[in-house]
Amino acid sequence: GESVGLHLPTLSVQEGDNSIINCAYSNSASDYFIWYKQESGKGPQFIIDIRSNMDKRQGQRVTVLLNKTVKHLSLQIAATQPGDSAVYFCADNPSSGTYKYIFGTGTRLKVLA
Amino acid sequence: DAGITQSPRHKVTETGTPVTLRCHQTENHRYMYWYRQDPGHGLRLIHYSYGVKDTDKGEVSDGYSVSRSKTEDFLLTLESATSSQTSVYFCATLADSTLNEQFFGPGTRLTVL
């Protein structure tokens, strides 16, 4: 796989602690939001999604929160593990029906042993 | 990974030469995408396709063209490569069942000298 040496904001978290990764979006018409995880040398992988008519959605160890008032999205990872170390991207679909997703610049999560 | 392969995986070329990158999928997904990934910019959409012979521009389409003559193949062509097109290129498809989850290929690292 491929990766790039991204100069990204970095979040360092102790193993076992909870992580919170934040994302701001700009288009108030966006109707769909997705979080992806990109491990070194690989393409992004889908983690969880949320529709604009929801404010919270839970998955396995992950929770996404959506605050449409301030156009903010967060990804919470419970009991962070070494395997969670990666770059995390949010993406949104600003034009309903076109499926042209716009990605954020990403946050690097480092899990400290 | 939705059976997505990209070729070549690495390429070094010279300014002014044409380059074609190939994306092949085995899941018959309708939507296919080409992104580029650069430090500080995350993933940016170049072009996408919503069916055979149906394509549309993304955020950074200048200098790129695409073709989709079969469902399984989506080609990205740099007509005359420039150094600013040095990047990692990712192909993706969109799950037909949900129209939210994108599956990404392993990426192609392109260097234009």
Side-chain angles (χ1 to χ4, degrees):
Chain A
E2 294 298 332
S3 65
V4 291
L6 300 169
H7 305 294
L8 298 167
T10 299
L11 175 67
S12 297
V13 175
Q14 206 67 37
E15 182 179 355
D17 288 351
N18 296 336
S19 303
I20 300 176
I21 300 170
N22 297 304
C23 179
Y25 63 95
S26 58
N27 194 326
S28 56
S30 294
D31 63 350
Y32 214 85
F33 304 87
I34 306 170
W35 280 99
Y36 285 87
K37 173 186 180 183
Q38 186 178 25
E39 295 176 300
S40 180
K42 297 183 179 179
Q45 285 184 295
F46 175 93
I47 302 172
I48 191 168
D49 60 353
I50 188 168
R51 289 196 177 277
S52 59
N53 61 356
M54 303 169 68
D55 51 21
K56 181 179 180 178
R57 189 164 189 220
Q58 288 185 291
Q60 188 176 13
R61 274 201 315 118
V62 294
T63 300
V64 56
L65 299 178
L66 175 63
N67 185 330
K68 292 182 287 295
T69 302
V70 295
K71 289 187 271 188
H72 182 269
L73 194 66
S74 69
L75 177 71
Q76 300 178 1
I77 304 174
T80 311
Q81 303 169 358
D84 295 326
S85 291
V87 176
Y88 290 81
F89 294 97
C90 64
D92 70 309
N93 181 11
S95 302
S96 179
T98 62
Y99 307 108
K100 290 169 71 170
Y101 289 90
I102 304 299
F103 282 74
T105 51
T107 298
R108 186 181 303 279
L109 176 65
K110 285 188 177 179
V111 181
L112 308 172
Chain B
D1 64 357
I4 300 172
T5 56
Q6 293 183 231
S7 59
R9 296 293 316 283
H10 301 268
K11 185 169 182 68
V12 180
T13 192
E14 293 189 349
T15 297
T17 60
V19 176
T20 295
L21 308 184
R22 179 177 182 249
C23 177
H24 179 80
Q25 57 136 335
T26 59
E27 298 294 319
N28 265 348
H29 288 161
R30 179 183 171 193
Y31 286 83
M32 297 186 74
Y33 304 79
W34 276 108
Y35 293 91
R36 58 179 289 174
Q37 187 172 36
D38 305 288
H41 290 281
L43 287 154
R44 292 183 291 176
L45 181 65
I46 305 172
H47 281 279
Y48 79 112
S49 169
Y50 47 96
V52 173
K53 294 192 167 74
D54 292 323
T55 64
D56 198 3
K57 295 179 180 180
E59 310 166 71
V60 290
S61 59
D62 287 349
Y64 301 94
S65 63
V66 289
S67 66
R68 188 148 177 226
S69 58
K70 297 186 289 186
T71 299
E72 57 266 36
D73 290 327
F74 193 31
L75 305 181
L76 176 71
T77 297
L78 291 65
E79 304 289 349
S80 177
T82 66
S83 59
S84 65
Q85 293 175 312
T86 293
S87 187
V88 178
Y89 291 86
F90 286 98
C91 172
T93 67
L94 187 67
D96 287 348
S97 55
T98 59
L99 293 174
N100 61 355
E101 180 176 358
Q102 286 184 306
F103 299 96
F104 285 82
T108 294
R109 181 176 293 276
L110 176 68
T111 302
V112 184
L113 302 175

